[in-house]
Amino acid sequence: MAGGAQQDNEEEITGINVTPLVDIVLVLLIIFMVTANFIVRETVEVDLPRAANGGETVQGLVNVVMDKEGKLFFDGTELSEADLSAKVAEQVAKDKDTRAIISADQSIAYGRVMRLIDVVKGQGIAKFALNIEKDVAPSAAPAAP
């Protein structure tokens, strides 16, 4: 009878089988891990400046680094400023949307960092980021008397 009461002989569903869901999640996890981009780049040791609202370390297509002695590195290879300019121009010729990550030791003068930015931007890279180290929140300092 339509709209009538349930019959007593029907079984109630008491649980949901989640085994297929777990299987699918594990398969997707394995696929994502296998297809992840595991790029290991040689790095130059620099003491990055800190900022309270800094972001995470960014991996970009082009890494430009100035160490505390003022040496320039392009993707881990030491170069002169003229060679750096040529390498950046070469990357821009390959891909117009090339981005740069600029890292400089915090002891480097502001003017030298600006010169490095000018070299990168002068070759056509419009999008770049300055690499910083995220500053941890300072612990509560005792009040001065």
Side-chain angles (χ1 to χ4, degrees):
M1 172 157 110
Q6 285 187 343
Q7 295 178 359
D8 291 334
N9 62 358
E10 289 185 19
E11 294 181 24
E12 274 189 45
I13 298 175
T14 58
I16 297 175
N17 186 4
V18 294
T19 305
L21 176 65
V22 172
D23 290 344
I24 291 171
V25 170
L26 288 175
V27 168
L28 287 174
L29 179 64
I30 291 170
I31 290 170
F32 291 142
M33 287 176 58
V34 169
T35 61
N37 191 3
F38 295 110
I39 296 177
V40 178
R41 296 180 186 236
E42 292 186 28
T43 57
V44 179
E45 191 68 32
V46 288
D47 185 18
L48 295 172
R50 296 180 182 276
N53 294 323
E56 301 295 318
T57 300
V58 181
Q59 295 295 323
L61 297 175
V62 175
N63 287 313
V64 180
V65 179
M66 184 181 287
D67 69 1
K68 59 185 166 186
E69 285 88 31
K71 296 177 188 171
L72 295 173
F73 295 86
F74 179 85
D75 285 339
T77 306
E78 186 176 351
L79 300 170
S80 67
E81 188 173 313
D83 291 339
L84 173 67
S85 182
K87 280 284 196 182
V88 171
E90 183 181 310
Q91 282 297 119
V92 171
K94 289 179 186 174
D95 181 11
K96 297 276 186 206
D97 294 329
T98 298
R99 298 177 187 186
I101 306 302
I102 300 173
S103 304
D105 196 271
Q106 67 180 348
S107 64
I108 297 294
Y110 180 73
R112 295 201 58 198
V113 175
M114 287 306 300
R115 175 75 184 135
L116 182 59
I117 292 171
D118 284 344
V119 168
V120 170
K121 287 181 69 176
Q123 297 306 318
I125 293 183
K127 294 182 180 180
F128 67 92
L130 298 175
N131 197 5
I132 60 168
E133 199 172 300
K134 189 168 181 172
D135 198 9
V136 293
S139 59

